[in-house]
């Protein structure tokens, strides 16, 4: 399927009346502000009692089942303040938690302020670890029965005597509140050298009175490149003493039973003064108000999607959306400075600036999901990505990153998708085009799987060039987009040999021949012809699923269930996606090996073991696959503004856009048995195709699906117009 003052003087009467009236105005203004805050507080208390209650931040946090964290954060917040736990040193096979946290560990290292969510290797982040403890409690144990988390809030009791830790966050600051249960001497460790990946030189620049300043540096994910972050902590009271040693400091307090201590930590990629300002700003607000504001922010973002149905399914959906709204993260408001990937100061001159990418994963589902649900923010994100080209963008990370990040391959596809969905302006697209072309041409190390991935990126550059009217450049990259065909014929055409289901064969990456052979979504029509026609390709797809070769736990083949719709079998897409979203299935594959016997369970669960073993969420990629499939709309070919329709798992869903328009999806008669689409209508008119355009959805309206227990093999057979990979006339 080529697929966002009161005037200084008031002129009335004599000077005395001016002063009196000005005071009166100021008093009235103060009363008005207080009233607004009270009303806002009431509004927040009302609003946050609905959607956020369906989010469980503990889903996907157990062991190697998602590699996620319950850290307190805002939507797309730089700060992700949460617990870091220790692994069992006696268990050599116990994986180090990529996010710093394992639900199944009760050994607390401390609380750190940044982390990557489920991105493999050993993750990154861990900036400024903070750990209060009574003097003789060196390795405190967490009371797991008292552990709580909700969007923007985390709490746990730990240690002996016990300390209650409560955490919340703003976009650029984390706020800790500690309640001490026993009178005694307490020490708080501040470790600026702590990191989830390899630490680099870090240090303390000041520690006196009620604050401590310093900086943290470490490698990014998989030890590519490095980042540096400035941090400043402001305490609600000064300690008895400070002791510093390199990048660590200890503050000593004498606390009474029931006393509380608040620590506000600001982060900045620019410098110490900005970090201190972020910390000081939050220290002037009550902890409770920050928690309410965080919950309200999440309620607003998650409220873009409203569904009716099974509470457990709602919990899985809203938690998936919660995970999808964590990266990229906010680094600067419009008009403010930020540190670029080249280490130099930049200015967010056009819109808000975002950073922190994992595009090899997120381009497939998460970025398209944001293009659909949040086009205003997505415009800033897409332009922020394009800005990297002028800052020395590399496929992974540079040595001067402003914060944790992963990789930026497939940027050309993201730019094309953003451009066609209104998330990238013409000027930025034109400026980015030569860089994107060079990136596609230089992609990879010549490995087999990269031939396929490079072809897709060349197609994206060609399509973008054509949309911008550059016919010659488009023809060049269209030709490059089919160069993979000889490689495909030599390595992927035959699936009869015994090693076709082996993971990580030479030239492959986290996948098998079976799983990678479909990954030229821009050229499926040629694949169909190469294997002998549509029936032959359908038969191979049936074998792929019937023999358990499909791997929902990793990215290379996650679009494959939707190929059936392109091949005139939309009912097979409906059946497969519905079952993977709702039922226990056999899962034969991990990330790097095929299991001797399958792991059986639900791929997306309502529990800490929320994912298939070894299934990293990869910055919201897998959560976004679930969210899109659960809603029944999926971007089968990222770059084309089309969505394949499949069976939703909710009887009704509503998408509310910034424009105020609402798109409703109603699945009448839906049940676990009756999950096949019988017929459909769009805005009251019969719909005979199993796809919608981006504009049809974002313009608002109503999609009604009549569901049944048996497939309707006559519905949804109309194909969209294909975008050819051969030369065509560009407007």
């Amino acid at each position: 399927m080529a697929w966002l003052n009161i005037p200084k003087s008031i002129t009335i009467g004599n000077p005395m009346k001016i002063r009196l009236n000005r005071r009166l105005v100021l008093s009235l203004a103060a009363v008005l502000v207080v009233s607004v805050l009270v009303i806002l507080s009431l509004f927040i208390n009302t609003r946050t009692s609905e959607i956020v209650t369906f989010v469980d931040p503990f889903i996907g946090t157990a062991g190697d089942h998602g590699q996620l964290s319950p850290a307190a954060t805002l939507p797309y917040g730089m700060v992700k303040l949460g617990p870091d736990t220790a692994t069992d040193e006696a268990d050599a096979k116990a994986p180090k938690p990529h996010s710093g946290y394992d639900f199944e560990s009760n050994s607390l290292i401390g609380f750190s302020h940044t982390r990557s969510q489920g991105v493999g290797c050993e993750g990154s982040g861990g900036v400024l670890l903070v750990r209060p403890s009574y003097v003789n409690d060196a390795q405190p144990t967490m009371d797991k029965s008292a552990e709580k988390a909700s969007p923007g809030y985390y709490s746990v009791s730990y240690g002996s005597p016990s300390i209650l830790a409560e955490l919340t966050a703003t976009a650029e600051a984390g706020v800790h509140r500690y309640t001490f249960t026993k009178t005694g001497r307490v020490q708080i460790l501040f470790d600026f050298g702590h990191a989830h990946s390899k630490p680099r030189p870090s240090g303390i620049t000041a520690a006196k009175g009620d604050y401590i300043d310093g900086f943290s540096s470490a490698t990014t994910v998989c030890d590519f490149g490095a980042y540096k972050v400035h941090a400043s902590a402001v305490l609600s009271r000064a300690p008895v003493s400070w002791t510093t040693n390199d990048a660590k400091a200890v503050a000593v307090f004498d606390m009474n039973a029931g006393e509380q201590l608040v620590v506000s930590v600001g982060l900045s990629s620019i410098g110490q003064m900005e970090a201190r300002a972020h910390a000081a700003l939050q220290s002037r607000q009550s902890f409770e108000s920050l928690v309410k504001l965080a919950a309200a922010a999440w309620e607003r973002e998650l409220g873009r999607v409203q569904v009716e149905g099974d509470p457990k399914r709602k919990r899985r959906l809203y938690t998936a959306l919660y995970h999808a709204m964590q990266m990229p993260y906010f680094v600067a408001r419009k008009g403010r400075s930020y540190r670029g990937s080249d280490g130099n100061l930049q200015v967010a001159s056009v819109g808000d600036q975002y950073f922190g990418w994992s595009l090899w994963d997120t381009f497939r589902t998460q970025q398209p999901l944001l293009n659909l649900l949040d086009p205003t923010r997505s415009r800033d994100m897409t332009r922020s990505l394009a800005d990297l080209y002028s800052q020395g963008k590399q496929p992974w990370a540079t040595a001067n990153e402003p914060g944790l990040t992963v990789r930026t391959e497939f940027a050309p596809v993201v730019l094309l998708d953003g451009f066609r969905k209104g998330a990238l302006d013409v000027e930025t697209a034109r400026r980015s085009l030569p860089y994107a072309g060079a990136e596609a041409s230089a992609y990879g190390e010549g490995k087999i799987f990269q031939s396929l991935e490079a072809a897709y990126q060349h197609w994206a550059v060609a399509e973008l060039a054509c949309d911008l009217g550059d016919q010659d450049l488009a023809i060049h990259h269209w030709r490059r987009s089919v160069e993979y065909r000889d490689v495909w014929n030599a390595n992927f055409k035959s699936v009869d040999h015994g090693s076709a289901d082996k993971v990580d064969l030479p030239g492959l990456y986290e996948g098998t021949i079976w799983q990678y052979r479909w990954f030229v979504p821009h050229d499926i029509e040629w694949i169909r012809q190469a294997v002998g026609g549509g029936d032959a390709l359908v038969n191979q797809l049936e074998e792929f699923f019937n023999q358990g070769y499909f791997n929902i736990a990793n990215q290379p083949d996650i679009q494959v269930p939707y190929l059936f719709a392109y091949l005139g079998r939309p009912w097979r897409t409906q059946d497969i996606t519905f079952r993977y979203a709702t039922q226990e299935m056999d899962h034969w594959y991990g990330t790097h090996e095929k299991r001797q016997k399958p792991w059986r369970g639900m791929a997306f669960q309502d529990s800490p073991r929320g994912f298939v073993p070894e299934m990293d969420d990869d910055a919201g990629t897998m959560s976004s696959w679930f969210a899109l499939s659960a809603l029944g709309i999926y971007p089968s070919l990222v770059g084309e503004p089309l969505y394949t329709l499949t069976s939703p798992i909710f009887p009704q869903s509503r998408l509310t856009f910034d424009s105020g328009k609402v798109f409703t999806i109603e699945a009448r008669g839906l049940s676990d048995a009756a999950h096949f689409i019988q017929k459909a209508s769009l805005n009251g008119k019969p719909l005979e195709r199993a796809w919608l355009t981006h504009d049809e959805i974002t313009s608002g309206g109503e999609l009604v699906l009549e569901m049944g227990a048996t497939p309707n093999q006559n519905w949804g057979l109309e194909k969209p117009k294909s975008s050819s990979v051969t030369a065509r006339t560009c407007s």
Side-chain angles (χ1 to χ4, degrees):
M1 212 184 237
W3 344 25
L4 164 163
N5 291 331
I6 298 171
K8 293 183 178 180
S9 62
I10 306 172
T11 310
I12 49 174
N14 61 43
M16 180 59 73
K17 289 182 179 179
I18 292 174
R19 288 194 294 272
L20 289 173
N21 281 310
R22 189 180 185 204
R23 290 172 184 167
L24 178 61
V25 171
L26 289 169
S27 299
L28 290 172
V31 171
L32 178 61
V33 169
V34 171
S35 301
V36 169
L37 289 175
V38 170
I39 294 170
L40 178 61
S41 176
L42 293 172
F43 173 75
I44 290 171
N45 286 332
T46 301
R47 290 287 293 160
T48 57
S49 64
E50 185 56 41
I51 291 177
V52 293
T53 62
F54 287 100
V55 176
D56 182 359
F58 290 113
I59 288 177
T61 64
D64 205 6
H65 296 258
Q67 294 285 356
L68 294 166
S69 165
T73 189
L74 286 188
Y76 316 102
M78 176 197 308
V79 172
K80 292 172 175 53
L81 173 56
D84 288 358
T85 60
T87 54
D88 184 358
E89 295 183 1
D91 184 359
K93 295 183 179 180
K96 180 181 177 181
H98 305 169
S99 68
Y101 173 86
D102 183 351
F103 180 85
E104 296 176 348
S105 171
N106 65 358
S107 182
L108 178 69
I109 299 173
F111 306 98
S112 66
H113 294 76
T114 59
R115 62 205 68 238
S116 52
Q117 291 281 38
V119 297
C121 292
E122 292 184 351
S124 67
V127 166
L128 183 49
L129 182 88
V130 177
R131 189 184 71 207
S133 62
Y134 286 93
V135 172
N136 295 320
D137 194 2
Q139 186 66 59
T141 298
M142 305 164 70
D143 179 2
K144 299 295 290 186
S145 67
E147 193 176 26
K148 298 177 182 178
S150 60
Y153 177 80
Y154 172 86
S155 70
V156 69
S157 291
Y158 67 93
S160 180
S162 67
I163 300 171
L164 172 62
E166 297 175 278
L167 312 175
T168 191
T170 67
E172 298 155 311
V175 181
H176 315 229
R177 183 169 70 179
Y178 299 103
T179 305
F180 301 91
T181 59
K182 184 179 179 180
T183 299
R185 177 147 285 194
V186 171
Q187 60 186 21
I188 301 184
L189 170 68
F190 293 87
D191 186 355
F192 287 83
H194 179 72
H196 298 157
S197 53
K198 289 183 180 179
R200 289 167 57 89
S202 303
I204 296 169
T205 55
K208 57 184 179 181
D210 62 355
Y211 72 91
I212 179 171
D213 294 340
F215 61 94
S216 300
S217 182
T219 59
T220 64
V221 174
C222 299
D223 295 328
F224 284 94
Y227 67 92
K228 180 179 180 180
V229 176
H230 299 271
S232 179
V234 177
L235 289 65
S236 58
R237 57 182 266 199
V240 173
S241 65
W242 283 102
T243 303
T244 62
N245 181 13
D246 294 330
K248 294 182 181 180
V250 174
V252 176
F253 297 82
D254 290 321
M255 304 299 297
N256 294 319
E259 274 194 299
Q260 292 182 330
L261 182 68
V262 177
V263 181
S264 301
V265 178
L267 301 184
S268 170
S269 67
I270 296 177
Q272 209 66 64
M273 291 182 63
E274 185 176 74
R276 179 97 60 88
H278 291 156
L281 177 64
Q282 309 318 320
S283 68
R284 294 194 290 269
Q285 302 183 68
S286 73
F287 186 86
E288 289 84 0
S289 68
L290 291 172
V291 171
K292 290 178 180 179
L293 288 170
W298 278 111
E299 183 78 8
R300 182 172 58 252
E301 294 303 323
L302 295 169
R304 296 174 186 277
V305 179
Q306 296 185 353
V307 297
E308 302 297 331
D310 180 359
K312 290 185 177 181
R313 290 185 183 177
K314 291 175 72 172
R315 196 153 48 241
R316 289 192 291 136
L317 174 72
Y318 284 118
T319 304
L321 291 172
Y322 171 79
H323 288 144
M325 295 177 177
Q326 307 247 347
M327 287 178 70
Y329 52 85
F330 165 85
V331 293
R333 294 284 179 213
K334 180 181 178 180
R336 300 295 297 273
S337 297
Y338 67 97
R339 188 77 62 183
S341 291
D342 54 4
N344 297 321
L345 284 181
Q346 310 285 342
V347 176
S349 58
V350 178
D352 293 344
Q353 200 74 20
Y354 289 82
F355 184 75
W357 311 95
S358 187
L359 292 190
W360 188 85
D361 315 287
T362 59
F363 93 89
R364 307 163 197 261
T365 55
Q366 189 249 10
Q367 293 292 150
L369 177 66
L370 300 186
N371 281 340
L372 177 64
L373 297 182
D374 195 351
T376 302
R377 193 189 306 269
S378 191
R379 279 194 290 273
D380 286 344
M381 289 179 174
T382 308
R383 182 198 41 75
S384 297
L385 175 63
D387 286 347
L388 294 182
Y389 283 125
S390 64
Q391 299 171 18
K393 178 183 177 300
Q394 297 180 14
W396 282 67
T398 73
N400 300 290
E401 300 291 4
L404 60 89
T405 189
V406 191
R407 53 202 298 187
T408 59
E409 303 108 316
F410 286 99
V413 182
V414 176
L415 297 179
L416 173 65
D417 199 56
F419 184 75
R420 287 181 164 174
K421 295 174 182 176
L424 188 67
D425 62 277
V426 172
E427 180 183 349
T428 305
R430 289 192 188 282
R431 186 172 66 247
S432 303
L433 189 57
Y435 294 103
E439 182 175 20
S441 298
Y443 177 73
E445 302 169 0
K447 294 183 178 178
I448 295 171
F449 81 96
Q450 290 173 328
S451 296
L452 278 60
E453 294 186 342
Y456 188 13
Q457 296 185 63
H458 279 295
W459 171 82
V461 175
E463 294 289 306
L464 184 57
C466 190
D467 288 354
L468 294 171
D470 192 334
Q471 174 108 1
D472 292 341
L473 187 63
I475 292 173
H476 170 75
H477 285 284
W478 274 322
R479 288 171 176 164
R480 296 295 307 274
S481 76
V482 299
E483 289 179 353
Y484 79 93
R485 290 175 178 175
D486 288 341
V487 173
W488 194 92
N489 277 325
N491 296 277
F492 298 97
K493 185 172 183 178
S494 172
V495 286
D496 295 331
H497 54 89
S499 61
D501 65 340
K502 300 295 190 297
V503 182
D504 284 345
L505 286 174
L508 299 182
Y509 174 67
E510 296 186 351
T512 67
I513 289 173
W514 262 114
Q515 292 154 13
Y516 263 107
R517 73 192 305 260
W518 323 101
F519 194 71
V520 279
H522 67 289
D523 204 21
I524 291 298
E525 182 60 25
W526 179 85
I527 299 291
R528 185 184 70 80
Q529 296 171 8
V531 301
D535 290 343
L537 188 55
V538 166
N539 291 337
Q540 292 181 5
L541 276 173
E542 292 288 4
E543 183 180 357
F544 179 68
F545 285 99
N546 294 336
Q547 297 299 319
Y549 297 142
F550 175 58
N551 184 15
I552 189 59
N554 210 3
Q555 286 79 30
D557 62 351
I558 58 174
Q559 82 288 352
V560 179
Y562 290 90
L563 283 182
F564 279 110
Y566 171 70
L567 295 170
R569 309 294 197 281
W571 64 90
R572 289 293 287 129
T573 291
Q574 297 157 28
D575 189 41
I576 293 167
T577 61
F578 189 89
R579 288 189 294 116
Y580 271 96
T582 63
Q583 299 175 16
E584 291 188 351
M585 304 287 287
D586 285 342
H587 303 274
W588 281 95
Y589 293 92
T591 301
H592 296 289
E593 63 182 3
K594 183 178 180 181
R595 301 182 176 101
Q596 293 184 347
K597 62 179 182 179
W599 178 88
R600 185 166 182 82
M602 291 179 62
F604 304 92
Q605 303 174 46
D606 180 18
S607 71
R609 292 196 171 197
F611 295 78
V612 177
E614 293 188 69
M615 180 175 169
D616 297 339
D617 191 39
D618 284 317
T621 300
M622 306 314 298
S623 288
S624 297
W625 187 96
F626 173 76
L628 288 159
S629 297
L631 293 171
I633 48 177
Y634 191 87
S636 300
L637 175 58
V638 181
E640 281 286 5
L642 301 176
Y643 300 85
T644 302
L645 297 180
T646 191
S647 300
I649 70 171
F650 300 100
Q652 187 178 84
S653 308
R654 291 196 306 154
L655 310 182
T656 302
F657 304 108
D658 291 342
S659 64
K661 294 179 179 178
V662 177
F663 187 77
T664 301
I665 303 169
E666 184 177 352
R668 295 176 179 173
L670 176 70
S671 68
D672 282 1
H675 63 261
F676 293 99
I677 300 173
Q678 304 300 300
K679 61 180 180 178
S681 65
L682 180 64
N683 301 328
K685 297 180 180 179
L687 182 72
E688 295 298 332
R689 48 186 163 88
W691 51 275
L692 294 176
T693 68
H694 184 77
D695 287 344
E696 283 175 326
I697 297 175
T698 57
S699 295
E702 183 181 42
L703 174 67
V704 177
L705 306 173
E706 302 286 350
M707 311 303 291
T710 58
N712 179 355
Q713 298 187 12
N714 295 314
W715 179 84
L717 306 185
E718 179 187 339
K719 295 182 182 180
K721 293 180 180 179
S722 297
S723 287
S724 173
V725 295
T726 57
R728 58 186 171 90
T729 301
C730 302
S731 59

